[in-house]
Amino acid sequence: MAEPCRPTTTRRGAVPGTASPARSKRQALAAKDAKEPKQDRSRATRLRLLEAAVACLAEYGWAGSTVSVVAERAGVSRGAAQHHFPTREDLFTAAVEYVAEERSTALRALAPTGPARRREVVDAVVALYTGPLFRAALHLWVAASDEEQLRPRVTELEARVGREAHRMTVELLGADESVPGVRETVQGLLDMARGLGLATLLTDDTQRRNRVVAQWARILDTVLERG
């Protein structure tokens, strides 16, 4: 994941003719890319842009995350950024989708076993909604409520990510949704995780979160074993 963005500043006392840190970084990355095959360079540039976009969105929100800011953070030119993502909406929806897929891959790789397996699943689900991805996605949701061009993309993306998160959670828990109450309990877990993600935006109440997670693991034990 890219490190947080930093706004562009003018160096005081800079020697005329010397390169700025951002320009020097772009030059270094360009030199590195020049040694790689063209297709690999294109993939590497796209990846840097996606990671930088998520970092910027999480730190600065929609208003402060322009294509220029993301391009500078990624170490590429604005033109290169627009070659991969013609519009701002293209860049940020692709960025959130990319990281969502990365986190989903990590969740799919989870193979909980033993008596504490459900607690492990609850921990993993909560982690999906309490990190930089959720913060970035939340800024995107807020922007979509006011941006007509962005709204349909974000609505479709959120529905797809939500369906996949639900499906994977059911699979990891070994839940049988044909049993009355099981589907609602799994959905309640996901809703709870989102709520904890919102709370984490303001404070880091780890102890309270751990107690809530433990209680949800007990609830799942009761509901799923009854089924």
Side-chain angles (χ1 to χ4, degrees), residues 108 162-172 177 186 190:
R108 280 193 293 269
R163 286 193 300 269
E164 180 65 6
H166 187 104
R167 186 192 66 78
M168 287 189 299
T169 302
V170 168
E171 184 176 316
L172 288 168
E177 290 195 296
V186 172
L190 293 168

Side-chain angles (χ1 to χ4, degrees), residues 4 16 21 24 28 31 39 54-55 77 82 91 138 145 151 189 191 200 209 220 225:
S24 297
Q39 188 174 15
V54 172
S77 68
Q82 291 180 316
L91 172 59
L138 183 61
S145 68
R151 189 180 304 156
L189 166 62
D191 291 342
T200 303
R209 184 165 69 243
L220 287 167
E225 288 172 9

Side-chain angles (χ1 to χ4, degrees), residues 9 15 18 23 48 66 85-86 96 116 157 161-162 168 193 198 200:
T9 57
V15 178
T18 60
R23 183 179 178 185
R48 290 204 300 269
T66 64
F85 304 101
V96 172
L157 173 61
V161 170
M168 287 189 299
L198 286 171
T200 303

Side-chain angles (χ1 to χ4, degrees), residues 139-157:
H139 283 300
L140 201 61
W141 298 341
V142 173
S145 68
D146 295 322
E147 299 280 345
E148 289 292 339
Q149 287 183 312
L150 193 59
R151 189 180 304 156
R153 299 187 186 200
V154 175
T155 300
E156 191 276 333
L157 173 61

Side-chain angles (χ1 to χ4, degrees), residues 160-220:
R160 181 151 39 90
V161 170
R163 286 193 300 269
E164 180 65 6
H166 187 104
R167 186 192 66 78
M168 287 189 299
T169 302
V170 168
E171 184 176 316
L172 288 168
L173 290 170
D176 180 359
E177 290 195 296
S178 68
V179 176
V182 169
R183 179 175 179 80
E184 291 76 13
T185 302
V186 172
Q187 188 58 53
L189 166 62
L190 293 168
D191 291 342
M192 177 276 296
R194 290 190 189 93
L196 289 178
L198 286 171
T200 303
L201 292 175
L202 300 177
T203 60
D204 182 15
D205 191 352
T206 303
Q207 290 185 344
R208 182 177 66 86
R209 184 165 69 243
N210 287 340
R211 291 195 300 271
V212 172
V213 166
Q215 178 61 20
W216 263 98
R218 288 191 288 268
I219 291 171
L220 287 167

Side-chain angles (χ1 to χ4, degrees), residues 27-46:
Q27 290 172 338
L29 289 170
K32 179 182 177 182
D33 287 348
K35 300 177 182 178
E36 300 175 351
K38 184 175 181 180
Q39 188 174 15
D40 290 344
R41 291 202 304 271
S42 179
R43 281 197 296 262
T45 298
R46 177 182 171 85

